[in-house]
Amino acid sequence: MAKRVIIIGVGGATCSGKTTLAKHLRNVLPNSFILHQDDYAPPQELVPLHPTLKIQDWDDPRGAIQWDRLRASLAHIRASGGELPPEHRSHDHLNKQVPVPVDEGKLGAWGEEVRGALKEREKEGERETVFVLLDGFLCYWDEGVIAQLDIPLFLRTPTAVLKARREARAGYVTQEGGLWVDPPGYWEDIVYPAYLLAHCDVFQNGDVDAGAPTGKVPGLEVLDCGALGMDGMVRRAVERVVEKKEKEKEKEKEKEKEKEKENPAQPHSSPSRLPAPPKPNHPPPQQKPLASLASLAHAALMYFRWRPGLASDVFTPADRLLFRPRHRGFCGVRAVAGVGGADIL
């Protein structure tokens, strides 16, 4: 049986702390790996030029990512139960990062919390889970990519902080192994305008600094980097994973209740305690009384006792001997030859 895949989007502007958060979550979540969106940038010779500045634009969402390739990889990962496409290659390890440590004790405790929630669900029959962390500055641009995300997170960092971090970077390693260094004014002319374009319909009024989500990305949660810090963001991401498991459990219970309403279960009894079959409601058949010769003779006697004139019309002389009136009480009746029976006196 294929493993169950949960894809977590870790999005935000360049230099917002996405990759750092994704790496901490990889250490907390069991069976997890990172899928870097930068690995889906086109080869350097295919990166489009800015229409007015005539320099390569690595940030415009319309050309910075090969979207068909990224969508295909996400679909493959989900269908295969968490397996990367065989042709996938990553170069993220070649880029230098400033470490932002998180307390190891906290990471361990959060990891135990997630594993406990997963074990409980697996006992109830759920498949083993694989977590995929999609790390990218354009996670919420393409509708096909958005549709694959189970838990979308957005790291909101003040613009001034983003600018300072970007300009402090030495550059980015390309797929070919080359080094891209921002030319002067690249942040103001290309990076920041592209960031606004990519999120203009993700936040109300296109306000990336304070706007609420518009609903384009269902379930999008904004993590305030300044207020939470890296510890707080890791903790909140873990809570979202546990909450998702609880919600799924509640949904399954609701579905079971609906099924019970549609198809009520019949009560079951053990064979040794089956109730006795009900007695038939109709009365038992009446047995016909057996009429003896004596009772028939007595009935005839009582009838003709009061009407002796009829006896001469109905009976033969031999018969009349049987029913000859004697007195008002009883008449003697003798058995006729050939017919068994007792005398009635």
Side-chain angles (χ1 to χ4, degrees):
M1 181 183 294
K3 297 177 181 179
R4 186 167 180 268
V5 176
I6 293 180
I7 302 178
I8 303 173
V10 185
T14 177
C15 300
S16 61
K18 306 178 304 301
T19 305
T20 303
L21 175 58
K23 288 182 178 180
H24 283 308
L25 290 176
R26 181 183 59 189
N27 294 332
V28 170
L29 302 175
N31 297 331
S32 61
F33 64 87
I34 302 173
L35 188 68
H36 298 283
Q37 196 175 56
D38 287 348
D39 292 333
Y40 293 86
Q44 188 166 2
E45 66 272 14
L46 298 179
V47 175
L49 298 177
H50 189 277
T52 58
L53 300 176
K54 303 303 179 183
I55 58 176
Q56 286 186 312
D57 187 347
W58 290 87
D59 290 78
D60 190 304
R62 294 163 291 192
I65 299 295
Q66 293 179 321
W67 293 109
D68 56 345
R69 194 158 62 92
L70 177 55
R71 287 192 296 268
S73 289
L74 290 172
H76 175 87
I77 290 170
R78 192 175 290 281
S80 65
E83 298 292 333
L84 280 167
E87 69 277 6
H88 179 75
R89 299 290 182 275
S90 179
H91 61 278
D92 177 77
H93 61 284
L94 300 175
N95 289 309
K96 293 182 180 180
Q97 284 186 309
V98 177
V100 182
V102 174
D103 183 83
E104 292 294 331
K106 293 180 180 179
L107 293 176
W110 296 334
E112 287 299 321
E113 182 179 355
V114 174
R115 283 187 284 273
L118 292 175
K119 286 181 180 178
E120 182 180 349
R121 298 293 289 129
E122 289 173 3
K123 287 180 181 178
E124 297 172 356
E126 186 177 282
R127 294 171 292 167
E128 184 179 355
T129 303
V130 175
F131 294 96
V132 181
L133 300 154
L134 178 61
D135 156 39
F137 70 106
L138 295 173
C139 280
Y140 309 123
W141 168 262
D142 183 78
E143 296 286 352
V145 171
I146 293 172
Q148 290 282 3
L149 302 178
D150 299 296
I151 302 176
L153 307 173
F154 180 86
L155 280 65
R156 178 171 278 167
T157 305
T159 301
V161 175
L162 296 174
K163 182 176 184 295
R165 289 177 180 175
R166 177 77 182 219
E167 292 177 346
R169 275 193 173 178
Y172 291 87
V173 177
T174 65
Q175 288 189 38
E176 296 79 14
L179 182 66
W180 166 265
V181 179
D182 292 347
Y186 198 75
W187 168 265
E188 295 84 355
D189 296 333
I190 290 181
V191 176
Y192 191 66
Y195 171 52
L196 296 178
L197 173 63
H199 298 86
C200 64
D201 56 352
V202 175
F203 299 103
Q204 293 179 6
N205 302 317
D207 186 353
V208 295
D209 292 323
T214 59
K216 175 187 177 181
V217 184
L220 179 65
E221 180 165 353
V222 178
L223 304 178
D224 188 330
C225 298
L228 294 173
M230 188 56 66
D231 287 42
M233 290 192 291
V234 175
R235 174 60 186 161
R236 182 56 196 146
V238 169
E239 289 174 347
R240 281 293 300 270
V241 171
V242 176
E243 287 170 5
K244 180 174 178 59
K245 291 294 180 184
E246 292 298 324
K247 288 179 180 178
E248 290 173 348
K249 185 177 181 179
E250 291 175 3
K251 287 183 179 179
E252 289 179 2
K253 288 183 178 179
E254 290 176 1
K255 288 181 180 179
E256 289 177 0
K257 289 181 180 178
E258 291 297 328
K259 288 181 180 179
E260 289 177 358
K261 289 180 181 179
E262 295 175 359
N263 303 304
Q266 298 296 328
H268 296 284
S269 301
S270 60
S272 59
R273 297 183 180 180
L274 288 175
K279 295 182 179 181
N281 200 19
H282 55 81
Q286 298 291 333
Q287 293 183 351
K288 294 181 180 181
L290 296 176
S292 65
L293 176 61
S295 61
L296 290 175
H298 182 267
L301 173 63
M302 297 301 294
Y303 179 76
F304 289 108
R305 172 185 171 192
W306 306 106
R307 304 183 70 179
L310 288 176
S312 60
D313 298 330
V314 177
F315 296 101
T316 63
D319 296 331
R320 285 196 297 272
L321 291 175
L322 290 171
F323 301 101
R324 182 173 63 250
R326 296 174 59 188
H327 56 78
R328 288 188 179 273
F330 295 94
C331 295
V333 177
R334 301 292 180 182
V336 181
V339 181
D343 294 344
I344 296 180
L345 300 175

